[in-house]
Structure formats: C-alpha cells, structure tokens
Amino acid sequence: MRRTWLILLMALLAAGCSRGGEDSARRTRRGDPAIQVAFVIVALERSDEHQLTREQAGKILPLLKVLREMSAEDREAAQAIADQIQELLTPGQQAALRQVREETRERSRRPGGQGAGPPGRGQGGGGPDPGRRAELRRRALDRAIRIVEARAKP
C-alpha cells in the first residue's frame, strides 16, 4: 500500500503539480489540483528537512478542508486554492518538490523505470472511472488533512 502511494505521488509530481512560469489556466488541465496538492503534503511530510511548520499547517488545513468539500468538476476554484497552498510553501520546500519531480522524471526515462503517466491508463484505457477517481481524491485529501492536523497541534 505504501509503495502504491509512493508511485502515485511520483507520477503526479512528475506530471507537474506546480510548474513555475505556467499560467493557472494551463495547469488546470493537468489533473485534479486537489489530488496534486494532497500528494505535495505527503511528499513534504516524508522529507527530513522540509516538513510543514505548525504555522503553515494552521493556514493550509482550512484550505484542504474546502478542497475536500469541493466538487472535482470545479477545477478552476480547486486550482485557485491549490495555488494558495503552494504560495504558503517556503522556497526550500518548493525546491525540494522540484527535485523530487526531476528525480521521478529521470527514473521514468531509464529502461525498466517506473512510468510517470497517470495511474489507470493501460491498453485502451482512458484512466480510472469517475467513481474510482472520486474515491482516490477523497482518500488523498483525507490523508493530507490528517498529516496537516498532526502538524498543526501544539
């Protein structure tokens, strides 16, 4: 299970959850911003040096809860909230996420490396069905919220 989360995280980060220099409209077309920001939280939590601070967690928690209640179809609003969360990250945290994305891209380019494409796409597949995608979204956000709640505690 942990390996599955790591593979999903790496794939989403490789897809570019917050690519510098791109405008919001372009990023909105790159997957669900709520899932992407949830995986950013997980990636930072796994880092030894770049975990969220209590102050960041206090600011991010209500934003994550809004994302959880928001419809997946409301991508523009979800992207705006994801952008707010990204802006709360320090330059060091943002650099660490860029490094993880680059490492993931490098691994995916090697023969036999983990692919960086979205999960659920295979022969003739267009991705996971909407019910499965909604479940993944809910679970990813619930996990991110638990992490941030733990960080926000004194």
Side-chain angles (χ1 to χ4, degrees):
M1 180 68 176
R2 186 175 176 126
R3 181 174 170 83
T4 301
W5 273 104
L6 184 58
I7 290 170
L8 288 172
L9 168 68
M10 291 170 27
L12 288 169
L13 289 174
C17 43
S18 72
R19 302 172 71 90
E22 289 184 306
D23 65 355
S24 183
R26 184 171 173 192
R27 280 185 285 168
T28 301
R29 293 190 300 261
R30 291 186 170 271
D32 186 338
I35 292 174
Q36 293 170 351
V37 80
F39 284 110
V40 163
I41 300 299
V42 172
L44 291 173
E45 181 64 19
R46 289 183 177 183
S47 166
D48 292 331
E49 300 173 13
H50 300 290
Q51 295 175 343
L52 295 175
T53 65
R54 185 174 299 136
E55 181 180 337
Q56 286 175 310
K59 292 177 182 178
I60 290 172
L61 184 58
L63 297 171
L64 286 174
K65 289 181 177 181
V66 169
L67 278 175
R68 181 178 57 188
E69 301 306 317
M70 188 178 285
S71 168
E73 284 77 36
D74 197 355
R75 296 171 72 82
E76 190 173 313
Q79 185 63 57
I81 292 171
D83 289 344
Q84 288 179 337
I85 291 171
Q86 290 286 338
E87 289 171 10
L88 292 170
L89 302 179
T90 67
Q93 289 167 326
Q94 293 173 359
L97 291 170
R98 283 190 298 274
Q99 183 176 350
V100 167
R101 279 193 300 270
E102 185 56 36
E103 290 170 0
T104 302
R105 279 189 206 109
E106 289 299 319
R107 268 187 246 128
S108 70
R109 290 180 187 137
R110 291 185 211 142
Q114 294 291 331
R121 295 187 188 240
Q123 295 177 334
D129 68 77
R132 189 165 174 213
R133 191 174 306 129
E135 176 65 14
L136 172 64
R137 182 181 203 270
R138 184 195 60 76
R139 289 176 52 203
L141 285 168
D142 284 347
R143 183 170 187 201
I145 288 169
R146 284 191 307 272
I147 289 168
V148 174
E149 285 174 336
R151 284 267 160 224
K153 289 181 182 176

